[in-house]
Amino acid sequence: MNNKKRLIVVSAPSGGGKSVVTRHIMRLYPKAEFSISATTRDKRPLEKAGKDYYFVSKSEFKQMIENNELIEWEEIFGNYYGTMKSEIRRALDGDSMMIFDIDVKGALSIKKSFPDDAIL
């Protein structure tokens, strides 16, 4: 059995410094992959689709919920954010380490679904 934790979850409330910590981890472990979340919010000027977020419409996001394609999701200030199961499969199938920058509720969902692979 492989005891190596490959899903590294950094979680805190909004504004808690998750991005600072995850960027530091990514510098220390350049082969680690960053989990890209799906969102319905508008893309900001310097963001890149498929790198920072998967930008989708609200109807697409709701379809993802109905199709059970998300391990966790939240509605925040009228926009949806979520972690797609395909992102986790990408890490586990590829034997990669993946870094997650999500809220506490989402972190607990990942740990519950992948207890042998996730560390919070």
Side-chain angles (χ1 to χ4, degrees):
M1 173 159 55
N2 183 0
N3 289 330
K4 181 179 164 189
K5 304 287 187 184
R6 293 187 288 143
L7 306 176
I8 312 302
V9 183
V10 177
S11 62
S14 180
K18 299 181 298 286
S19 297
V20 172
V21 172
T22 55
R23 279 194 296 270
H24 183 69
I25 293 170
M26 297 295 291
R27 278 193 294 275
L28 292 175
Y29 299 96
K31 291 186 179 182
E33 297 182 53
F34 184 74
S35 171
I36 303 167
S37 297
T39 186
T40 61
R41 76 160 171 76
D42 291 336
K43 187 172 87 56
R44 295 177 184 148
L46 297 178
E47 291 178 326
K48 294 185 178 161
K51 180 178 184 277
D52 297 299
Y53 283 97
Y54 295 112
F55 295 96
V56 299
S57 68
K58 285 187 179 178
S59 63
E60 288 173 310
F61 199 97
K62 289 177 182 178
Q63 190 64 52
M64 291 167 68
I65 294 169
E66 286 182 28
N67 292 341
N68 198 28
E69 296 175 33
L70 301 166
I71 193 72
E72 59 86 25
W73 63 273
E74 288 289 325
E75 182 181 4
I76 302 169
F77 302 119
N79 289 304
Y80 293 94
Y81 295 82
T83 302
M84 297 180 297
K85 290 179 180 178
S86 61
E87 281 293 284
I88 294 173
R89 282 193 296 273
R90 181 167 64 95
L92 296 179
D93 291 348
D95 198 33
S96 299
M97 181 172 76
M98 185 167 277
I99 310 296
F100 295 80
D101 170 352
I102 57 178
D103 70 14
V104 175
K105 183 179 174 189
L108 294 173
S109 294
I110 290 175
K111 184 67 173 175
K112 181 179 178 183
S113 296
F114 299 94
D116 295 333
D117 295 300
I119 186 166
L120 279 57

